[in-house]
Structure formats: structure tokens, C-alpha cells
Amino acid sequence: EVQLQASGGGLVQAGGSLRLSCAASGLRFDDYAIGWFRQTPGKEREGVSCISSSRSSGSTYYRDSVKGRFTISRDNAKKTAYLQMNSLKPEDTAVYYCAALGLSIGSMCLEPSMDYWGKGTLVTVSS
């Protein structure tokens, strides 16, 4: 059974930082692109950042609104992906999800058509 467990959310003031973690099990982690998505009530889930599989050199992709503030990374030995979020803004408030995609070309992993999803972790940024 594939499991993705997101953690690290919480309450932070604007300008602060959080690091989200996504621990995976039940899949060949190296072969999957990992994406971070977020969703607020009444809105569609949106791709925040993703990192391609090791075979695709671990290329990274970001939505424009988080470029320069968020950094995605992966540790294949630990089967864990991370999202370092700096300079957080109130508009970053959302439930954040991690997901895995087995066949990903370019920035496909930013689209919410992933193979596996984890449960979300809430990030709240106060002004």
C-alpha cells in the first residue's frame, strides 16, 4: 500500500518560515516525481512546487507566486521530500498536500493529476 504522509504545518506569522515533510512508503520513491499542492475552501487544488524523479535529474518547478520563497528537495535514501517555505504570506494559508506521479514530463507534476495523494497538513499564516 502506497502511503504519503505530509507533516510540518502550523501557525506562523507573516514573514516566517516552515518546512513541510512528505514521507513515502510502498513505492519506489526514486522513480516518482513528488509534488506539493495546496487548497483553500471553495478553491481548486493548485500545484505549488514539484521535483522530478531521480531519472529526470530531480528538476524542480514552482508556481510563480512562490518562486524565490519556497524550495523543494528530496532525500531518496529517506524516501522523504521537503518544502522549505520562507517569507510566508497570509495568502499562503491553505491545506498543503504532497503527491506522487510515476510518469512525469517537464512540469506535469504541477498538475493535480497525480497517482498518489497524502493527507494534508494545514499551514496558517497570520498577518
Side-chain angles (χ1 to χ4, degrees):
E1 179 187 6
V2 175
Q3 291 189 338
L4 298 171
Q5 182 63 55
S7 62
L11 173 63
V12 64
Q13 288 188 333
S17 298
L18 283 174
R19 189 176 82 153
L20 305 183
S21 298
C22 176
S25 61
L27 77 170
R28 290 176 58 92
F29 187 75
D30 300 21
D31 292 343
Y32 283 77
I34 302 297
W36 285 98
F37 298 79
R38 65 188 181 189
Q39 190 170 24
T40 55
K43 292 189 176 181
E44 293 187 352
R45 193 169 296 187
E46 62 183 22
V48 175
S49 179
C50 67
I51 184 167
S52 67
S53 67
S54 299
R55 288 181 297 177
S56 298
S57 303
S59 299
T60 58
Y61 305 90
Y62 300 91
R63 70 180 299 108
D64 287 345
S65 61
V66 307
K67 286 180 180 177
R69 299 189 298 122
F70 291 10
T71 303
I72 192 170
S73 61
R74 64 190 298 159
D75 184 333
N76 291 329
K78 294 183 177 180
K79 295 188 176 182
T80 301
Y82 304 96
L83 185 67
Q84 178 67 43
M85 306 186 295
N86 298 329
S87 302
L88 282 161
K89 303 176 180 180
E91 51 264 43
D92 295 318
T93 294
V95 177
Y96 284 72
Y97 301 85
C98 64
L101 180 63
L103 180 59
S104 181
I105 300 172
S107 61
M108 279 179 60
C109 50
L110 275 178
E111 300 297 324
S113 300
M114 306 293 276
D115 293 329
Y116 304 105
W117 290 89
K119 295 182 180 180
T121 184
L122 177 63
V123 172
T124 304
V125 184
S126 64
S127 57

